[in-house]
Each structure stands twice: as C-alpha cells, then as structure tokens.
Amino acid sequence: MALLTQWIPRWFNSIKLNSFITSTQLRNCFPRPGKTLLHEFSAQPRMSSDNFFLQWGFKTYRNSSIWNNSSQSTISIRQEINSAQNTMLPSMNEQSLKTQKIPNFDSELSLEGLDNVPPLSPLQPISEEEAVQITADPPLPPVSFTLRDYVDHSETLQKLVLLGVDLSKIEKHPDAANCLLRMDFENDIKQILLFLKDLGIEDNQLGPFLTKNYAIFSEDLKNLKTRVAYLQSKNFNKADITQMVRNAPFLLNFSVERLDNRLGFFQKELELSVKKIRDLVVRLPRLLTGSLEPVKENMKVYRLELGFKRNEIQHMITKIPKMLTINKRKLTETFDYVHNVMSIPHHVIVRFPQVFNTRLFKVKERHMFLTYLGRAQYDPAKPNYISLDKLVSMPDEVFCEEIAKTSVQDFEKFLKTL
C-alpha cells in the first residue's frame, strides 16, 4: 500500500510531462487553423492525443492495481510511456501528411459527371444556411382596396401603367379592378391596343383613353370592328371616326343597333340633312353616347319657353352643337338677361349663339361697364354697334381697347365697385 502511495504522484507527473511534450510536438507538426486548407480538420489531432492519454491512463491504472506489490511497475510504466510517445508522434505526422494530400475535387470532377447528377427534389431537406439564403416574393394580399398592391405581381397592370393608365381611378370600380387582375396581357389586352392604334389613337392618347374606357377590354374584338364598319357605311371617314372615338371614348361600346337608333333620333328631332347630322355628331360625339333627355328638354325650352322658331333652332345648334346638352337653368338665365335686360331681339341672338356658351357673369360685367360708359349699343342699324360675338369672345385687354375705348385699369376699378 505504501508503494502505491509513492507511485501515484509519479504517475500524475509523468502524465503532465508527456502531455506537454506531445502537445508541443503536435503544434509543430500541424499548421494553425488560419493557415491550413481544410479548417475543419485542424482540431482533430488534439482530440486524438487526448483520447490516447485517457485510454493510456485507464490501462496504467488497471496494471498498477494488479501489480501493486511489484517493484518493477515503475520501470514498466516508464517504458510504456516512452513507447507510446515514440509510436504516437509518427502516427500524427502521417495523419498530417494525409490531410495535406487531400485531392482537389474541382479539378478531378468532370463536366460529364455533372450531367448524371439527379435533380433536386422539392421534398429534399436542406440545411439552415441554405434556408436563410432562399428569397421569396411577398405573398399577394388576399383583399385590398388598391391596385397598387398587385402591380409588382401583374404584368398586365405593369404595362398599363407604362401606357399612362391611371389605376387609382379604375380601382374605384371594384368589378373593373377584379376584371383587370384576371386578364392576360398577350391574350386579352394586346389585341385591343393594336385595334386602337389602327384606328388612329396615338401612343400618348392611349393612357387617358383607357383610364376612361377601361371597359373596352371586356368587349369582343369582332364587335368593335363591326361598329367601326357601321360608321364607315354611314360615310364617316377614318379621320371622323378617330376624332369621335377620341372625344367620346365609350362610343364603340355601344351596339350597332343603338348607334343607328341615335342617328335616326337626331335626324327626326332636328329635321336636318344627313350631312349636317353627320357633321353635328363628329363635332359632339357625346350625342351618341349620352342621355337623350337633356336634348328633348332643351328642344322644348327653345320652342315653348324662349320662343325660337324651328329654323332658328336648327341654325343655332348647327353652329354651337353644345346647345343641345347645355344646362336648362343656364340656358334660361342667359336668354333672360340678354333678351330682357340687354334688349337684344331673337334674330340677333340667333346670329350669335356663342352667348349661350359663355359664363353669364362675364356678359353682365361687360354690359354694365359699357352702360356706365354710355356705349351699350347692340342694334346693327344704329352707329357704334357692338356685336354679341365681340362682347363675349374678346379678352379683357382687347375689349377695353377696341370696344370700351378705355384701359384695363379703369375696367378693374369699375368691377371693384360692383
């Protein structure tokens, strides 16, 4: 027992000495992790040496417990330590050489071998590093009140924006917005754009046109061509049709039957020639697309309330087609002031129907200024005659210089007194 007590300290000292020698030799044999080609291999030799010492310690403890009375145990232990030291270092050197002789897979792997690599399965597990590198597009919102959330995901919306279409106005109509989201540009949109281009709509006009008439995408192309052919059969030339479609974007959305009924209505109601009806519609194509109620009401007002004759009405609407759709209140107020306050008779008003297309306050200001100057004379048979055309159409500078024979400053001072 005394011998065992003396041997244990020596055994621990020998372990520390050999561990220090072995670790020093290993650091000399292996480069640092920062200098080696394969970093993951740099920590393995140290782990092998530690395992060796653990195995050696258990073996030595087993031998010492059996030979506790033998005086030769210390000598055998030292011999075993020396033999272990001599056998361990060469093995570590050999492993170091093996580590440095790892083949270059990039040089030995041929391109032909890549063809034989099976495709990755979508169910194949991936590492966390690979998962972090995966980038996915943000999902489409299930519900949205604006088309802006879908522009990045829709080729149709992207190209419509490039054309100048204002999606903020279309999205106010949910049915139209949903319809656009379901459309394919090549199959549903492109053919309509080519049709409009052939019709004469310029590139810079497509955006405003489609913003107003987004419903044209739901029209059948064959029906659109049929309606154009109908207008051509009524002697509308291509320039006329282009102008009509540009000024009334919804024109081609109406069926041939409705267009024919509208043309027949105006020819019957106004009793004009076919040529004049055609010219009237080209200048104001909204007559074919708007409501007919204002037209019917204004025709009654001209005849029954204002006292114009049929031929006088025909003359006025031929010169100013907008008189057919003008607001009834504005129509009656303008006539009342011009006829009853300015004392201008019907036949003079018929000659200058532009007065109905002018703001009433402008007519009042200028008439009151001329009355103040003593120059309000609208009778063609008398000297210093002032026509209604000049009264309402000239800018203030020209009106003051040529009609009122005064300066603009005097006119402005007068307006401040009203």
Side-chain angles (χ1 to χ4, degrees):
M1 189 66 182
L3 182 60
L4 179 60
T5 303
Q6 296 176 358
W7 174 82
I8 290 177
R10 296 178 181 177
W11 178 72
F12 277 108
N13 291 332
S14 63
I15 291 178
K16 293 180 180 180
L17 178 61
N18 282 279
S19 176
F20 173 77
I21 295 174
T22 305
S23 61
T24 303
Q25 292 175 348
L26 287 176
R27 282 195 297 268
N28 295 332
C29 293
F30 289 92
R32 293 183 179 181
K35 297 183 180 180
T36 184
L37 293 177
L38 298 177
H39 296 179
E40 60 272 17
F41 292 157
S42 62
Q44 289 184 3
R46 295 183 182 180
M47 294 176 61
S48 300
S49 62
D50 294 340
N51 293 334
F52 171 79
F53 282 118
L54 290 176
Q55 294 175 1
W56 176 84
F58 283 113
K59 180 178 180 181
T60 306
Y61 176 77
R62 185 178 63 249
N63 293 336
S64 63
S65 62
I66 298 175
W67 301 334
N68 53 3
N69 294 325
S70 176
S71 62
Q72 297 179 354
S73 59
T74 303
I75 299 176
S76 62
I77 292 174
R78 290 180 179 178
Q79 290 178 354
E80 191 170 355
I81 293 175
N82 292 333
S83 61
Q85 178 179 347
N86 295 332
T87 56
M88 179 191 67
L89 292 178
S91 64
M92 294 296 103
N93 293 331
E94 291 176 0
Q95 185 175 0
S96 160
L97 294 176
K98 291 180 181 179
T99 304
Q100 297 177 358
K101 293 181 181 180
I102 293 177
N104 189 351
F105 292 100
D106 293 338
S107 60
E108 295 183 2
L109 185 62
S110 62
L111 296 178
E112 297 177 356
L114 295 176
D115 296 335
N116 298 327
V117 177
L120 294 177
S121 171
L123 301 179
Q124 182 176 355
I126 59 175
S127 63
E128 294 184 0
E129 291 77 6
E130 293 174 337
V132 172
Q133 296 177 359
I134 296 177
T135 58
D137 294 332
L140 284 173
V143 178
S144 178
F145 295 99
T146 175
L147 288 174
R148 180 176 54 188
D149 296 336
Y150 300 95
V151 172
D152 294 337
H153 308 275
S154 173
E155 179 189 7
T156 298
L157 296 182
Q158 293 173 8
K159 293 188 175 181
L160 289 179
V161 170
L162 293 178
L163 289 174
V165 178
D166 190 352
L167 298 180
S168 64
K169 295 183 178 180
I170 299 179
E171 66 190 16
K172 295 178 182 179
H173 309 276
D175 294 338
N178 291 331
C179 183
L180 281 182
L181 286 175
R182 296 186 181 94
M183 287 186 176
D184 179 74
F185 184 83
E186 292 294 330
N187 298 328
D188 304 321
I189 306 295
K190 186 176 180 179
Q191 56 182 356
I192 302 297
L193 296 178
L194 295 176
F195 166 77
L196 294 175
K197 289 279 292 180
D198 293 339
L199 199 60
I201 305 298
E202 301 294 336
D203 292 342
N204 59 347
Q205 298 171 344
L206 285 173
F209 178 89
L210 296 175
T211 300
K212 294 179 180 179
N213 187 16
Y214 48 83
I216 197 172
F217 294 128
S218 60
E219 294 287 341
D220 186 81
L221 183 60
K222 184 178 179 181
N223 293 336
L224 296 176
K225 293 181 178 180
T226 301
R227 294 158 191 170
V228 172
Y230 166 78
L231 294 176
Q232 292 174 342
S233 68
K234 296 299 180 179
N235 295 326
F236 291 96
N237 57 41
K238 184 176 180 180
D240 293 338
I241 297 175
T242 301
Q243 181 178 343
M244 293 166 63
V245 172
R246 186 187 302 119
N247 296 331
F250 293 97
L251 178 64
L252 296 181
N253 293 54
F254 292 96
S255 63
V256 172
E257 292 77 11
R258 183 168 183 176
L259 294 176
D260 189 68
N261 292 335
R262 288 297 180 93
L263 291 175
F265 166 80
F266 288 110
Q267 189 171 4
K268 179 181 178 180
E269 184 71 20
L270 304 179
E271 297 181 357
L272 295 174
S273 64
V274 175
K275 184 179 182 305
K276 289 184 177 181
I277 290 294
R278 185 165 55 246
D279 180 70
L280 187 69
V281 171
V282 171
R283 295 168 59 190
L284 191 64
R286 289 182 300 171
L287 293 174
L288 299 179
T289 61
S291 174
L292 294 178
E293 292 305 318
V295 177
K296 296 177 181 178
E297 188 174 7
N298 285 350
M299 291 298 294
K300 293 180 180 179
V301 171
Y302 289 129
R303 291 195 302 264
L304 303 178
E305 297 185 24
L306 306 184
F308 288 101
K309 299 177 181 179
R310 179 172 291 276
N311 61 333
E312 292 176 337
I313 299 173
Q314 291 174 339
H315 178 78
M316 288 191 296
I317 63 176
T318 301
K319 294 187 67 174
I320 309 295
K322 193 176 179 181
M323 290 183 63
L324 288 171
T325 58
I326 195 172
N327 181 269
K328 177 183 176 181
R329 180 178 178 181
K330 178 183 179 182
L331 180 63
T332 55
E333 288 180 352
T334 301
F335 177 81
D336 179 67
Y337 188 84
V338 172
H339 181 67
N340 298 322
V341 177
M342 298 174 64
S343 302
I344 299 178
H346 283 76
H347 69 278
V348 176
I349 298 176
V350 171
R351 292 175 57 188
F352 306 103
Q354 296 89 344
V355 69
F356 291 105
N357 202 29
T358 307
R359 294 181 179 180
L360 182 57
F361 76 88
K362 183 177 181 180
V363 178
K364 289 182 177 181
E365 290 176 350
R366 293 189 175 186
H367 170 68
M368 294 173 68
F369 184 58
L370 291 176
T371 302
Y372 171 76
L373 297 176
R375 303 184 62 87
Q377 205 288 98
Y378 309 109
D379 189 352
K382 297 179 180 181
N384 299 323
Y385 163 70
I386 298 175
S387 67
L388 284 177
D389 183 26
K390 293 182 179 181
L391 181 69
V392 300
S393 62
M394 290 182 174
D396 289 343
E397 295 79 5
V398 180
F399 166 76
C400 293
E401 182 180 355
E402 297 184 5
I403 305 299
K405 305 298 181 180
T406 186
S407 64
V408 178
Q409 291 75 15
D410 293 338
F411 181 51
E412 293 176 350
K413 289 180 181 179
F414 174 79
L415 294 179
K416 291 179 181 180
T417 62
L418 297 179

